Amino acid sequence: MAEAVRHDKTARQLRLLSDALDSGRLGPVRRLVNTLSPAEIGNLLESLPPAKRTVVWGLVDAEDDGEVLVHVGDEVRESLLAEMDPDEIVAAVEDLDIDDLADLVEDLPDTVIDEVLKSMDRENRERLEQVLSYPEDTAGRLMNPDVVTVRADTTVDVVLRYLRLRGELPEHTDHLYVVSRRHQYLGRIALAALLTHEPATPINQLIDGEQPAIDVSESAAEVARKFSDHDWLSAPVVDENNILLGRITIDDVVDIIREQAEHQALGAAGLDEDEDLFSPVWRATRRRLIWLSINLATAFLAASVVGQFEGTIDKLVALAVLMPIVAGMGGNAGTQVLALMVRGLALGQVGASNARILLWKEARVALLNGLALGTVLAGIVLLWFHNVGLSLVIAVALTLNLLFAALAGVLVPLALKRAGFDPALASSIFLTTVTDVMGFFTFLGLATLFLLR
Amino acid sequence: MAEAVRHDKTARQLRLLSDALDSGRLGPVRRLVNTLSPAEIGNLLESLPPAKRTVVWGLVDAEDDGEVLVHVGDEVRESLLAEMDPDEIVAAVEDLDIDDLADLVEDLPDTVIDEVLKSMDRENRERLEQVLSYPEDTAGRLMNPDVVTVRADTTVDVVLRYLRLRGELPEHTDHLYVVSRRHQYLGRIALAALLTHEPATPINQLIDGEQPAIDVSESAAEVARKFSDHDWLSAPVVDENNILLGRITIDDVVDIIREQAEHQALGAAGLDEDEDLFSPVWRATRRRLIWLSINLATAFLAASVVGQFEGTIDKLVALAVLMPIVAGMGGNAGTQVLALMVRGLALGQVGASNARILLWKEARVALLNGLALGTVLAGIVLLWFHNVGLSLVIAVALTLNLLFAALAGVLVPLALKRAGFDPALASSIFLTTVTDVMGFFTFLGLATLFLLR
C-alpha cells in the first residue's frame, strides 16, 4: 500500500510531466517541477531517462539545486553534476547545511570544492573541515555543528533575553545544550521547559541530564537504532573528552533507515542501493555480471551432482522431469526461514543463545511441511507416472530437502555473520546452492538405490 | 553493518541474560532488564523462546509493561497478554498515550477494554473513541489528539503566560497550533519563534501558514512519505472541514517506515511481519504451507514442460544435467531486474511513461549478459560433454531466457501493481515461473530441433 499511494501521486506528476516534455512546452514543466519539494524533485529526476532528466534538471529553480543534489542517489547525482558548470555547483551548494554539504562534497570536482571552501566564512569552513575529518557512516558525519548552548549558572529570564537577541534558531532545534566553560556537555533543556517555567527559574533546575550524548565515532547504524529505541528527535554529539561537537536530528536518521532498507532489498540481488534506474547499459551489465557469474558457478556445482546420476536418469527419464520440483521447493522453504533469520539478526534477536532452539523449531516445521506436501506430491506423481516407488522416493526426498533447507536457513546467515559478512546480502546464494545440491542428490540418490532393478 | 552493531549490543545482553536465566539467579536478570528502554525490552522478549520469555516478562517493572506491549509484534504481544490478568493489563495500559493505546486496544480482551475505558476520565475516553473510529493505517489512528492551541489575535507575552500557567507540554511538542473560534486549523507557531521574539510581538506575525495539515483519512504510507519528503518533525491532522483533530509526530512515522521495510522483506517470502520468531510449530507450519503450496503448483507447471521433452532427454541425458542451469540463471537475472523495479514502483519512479524505455534498457543488458555468460557456459559444456551442438544450443537458450527474465522482471511487477497487488510481495513467484518454464522450453526445444538426428 505504501507503494500504491506514493506511486499514484508521483506517477500522476510523471505522466503530466512527460506529456508536457513530449509536447516540448517547457513552461508547464517548469511550473509543475517547482511546486515540488527538493526530495520530490530528486525522486522525479531519478525516474526520468537521461535525456528528459537533463531537460528537467535545467528547469529546477537554482536555489533548489543544492537540496535536490542532497536527495538523489550517488549515481544520479553524478549525472546531474555533469550538467552543471563549476560556478553553478558552487552557487548551488554553498548555502547547504554543513551536514548536507559534507554528504555531497566527496562527489564534487576538487576545483569546485576549493571554490566552495573559499566562498564560506572561516567558522563554517572550519566546521565543514571538522565534519569531513570523521569517517563516513559515523555520527561525526551526520552531526550538524550548529547548536545553541547555554550555561547552567543562569536563569530562564536571561536565556530568553539571549535568544531574543540571537534571533532564529537552527532548524529542528528542540533543545538547548548546557555546557561547561570548557564546552563539555552537561545536559539539555527543552524549549518547552523554557516556555512553561517562570522567568526567575534557575536553568540548572530545568536541565535534563538523562539524555546521553552520542560519541562522535559511533556508527550511523547505531545512531539510528538509539533514535528509534528511545524515540529521540535529536541528540548531542560529543568527543572522547565529552566536548560538545554538534547534534544529530531525526530527519537525518529517517534517511539512514530508508537507505538501510534499500541496501538490504537491492543488496540481496547483488545490486547497489545507489544504482540508477537508467544507469548506462555497459555499467549495469558489468555490475550484474559479477553476481551472475557467482550464480553460474553454483549452478554448475548443482549440475555436476546431477551429472553423477546420468545413468539413473537414462534408465528413468521421469526423474529429470521431477528433480527440479524437489530442488525448487527446498529453495522456497529455505527462503522463508532465511527471511526470519535475517530480520532476527538485524534486530539482534538471534544469537548463539537461541540458535539451537530456533533450529529445533524450524526442523519440526520442515518435517510437518514435508509430510503434508510430500503426500500431495506423491499423489500427483502416482497419477502422472503410475509408479509407486517413484512417488514414495520423491515424497521422502522432498521431506529431507526441506530439512536441509531449514538447516541452511538457520545456519548460513549465522555463519556469514560470524565471518563478518552481512547475512542480508550473501545468504540466499549459499542457501539455494545447498537446497539445489541436496535436492538433486537426495532425489536421484534414493532413486538409484530403490528404483533401479 | 546496521546488523553488526545492533547485533553485538543486543546479543551481549541476550547472552548475559540467558546465562543468568539458566543459572536461575533472577536478581541479575531483573536488574539487567530494567536498565533497558521499553523498545529494547520488547526486542529482548521477541528474541526469547516462550519459556524464558514468560520468566523475563514477569520481571519487567510494572510501569514499563504498557510501553513494552506497544513495542512488540502482534504475535508476541498476544503471548505476553496471555500471561497477565485483567487488572495487570488495565494498570499497564491506562497511562499510555491515546495513539499508543489505540494501537493496542484491538488485541485486548473486551472485558479489559471496558475496564480501561472506565478507568479513563471522560475527555480521554472520548479522545480514544474518536481515534478508534478511524480505520487502521490512516492518519486518524496515528494522531495524538493532545495538542496545544492558541488564538491568532493575541501576543507572545500572553501565550507565554498561558503556557507557564498550563505547565508541561505534550511529548515532542515543537509547534503550537493556531485555531479559529470554530477550532479550524489556521497555521502553526514554532516554540523557537516564541522564544526568539519580543513579548509584545502579535501572534499572527509568527504564524507559519506554509505547513499543510494532514487529512485524517490519509493513509499511513502517504503520511510517512510526506514526513520524509519534507523533513517534518510533526504535522497537524484535520477533518474534511479543516477542524483540528490532533497531531502526528515523527517518532511514530519512524515506526511506520520500519514496518514497511519488514513487511516487504518478509512478505516477499510469503510471511507476515508480525510473525513471532518462536511462534508455535503448528501455526508456523500452517502459515508457510499456503505459500509453499502455491510454489508447488508453479513447480509442476515447469515440470510439465520438461515432461513434454522426455523423449529428447531419453536420447541425450546431458540435457537433464544442464537444464537447471539455464532455468536458474534466468531466475537470478530476473530477480535483479525485479529488485530495481520494486524499488522504482515503491518510490513512484516507474510508470507507464517510462516502462518502455526501462524495458529496452534491460533487454540490452540481458543481451550483453547473455553473450558474455553464454560464451563461458558454452566453453565449459564443450569441455564437459565434447558436443559442439549442445554447447551452442545452451548458449542460445541462456541468452533467450535472460531476455525473458528481463521482460518478466519489468512487466510482472507493473502488471501486479495495475491489478492492485503489492508487487513487492507476489512478483518473485510469477517471475521464477516464467524463467523456469521458458528456460526449460527454450533449452529442450532447441535441443529437440537441432540435436536429434
Side-chain angles (χ1 to χ4, degrees), chain A residues 3 273 288 343 362, chain B residues 3 264 273 288 343 362:
Chain A
E3 302 60 33
E273 69 265 30
R288 301 195 198 168
R343 177 181 67 166
E362 290 302 335
Chain B
E3 303 60 36
Q264 292 207 358
E273 69 267 29
R288 300 194 197 169
R343 179 183 65 165
E362 290 301 335

Side-chain angles (χ1 to χ4, degrees), chain A residues 298-324:
Chain A
T298 66
F300 264 110
L301 192 62
S304 67
V305 173
V306 180
Q308 303 307 310
F309 297 96
E310 275 193 53
T312 308
I313 296 171
D314 206 7
K315 298 196 189 59
L316 184 56
V317 181
L319 296 174
V321 178
L322 297 172
M323 66 184 192

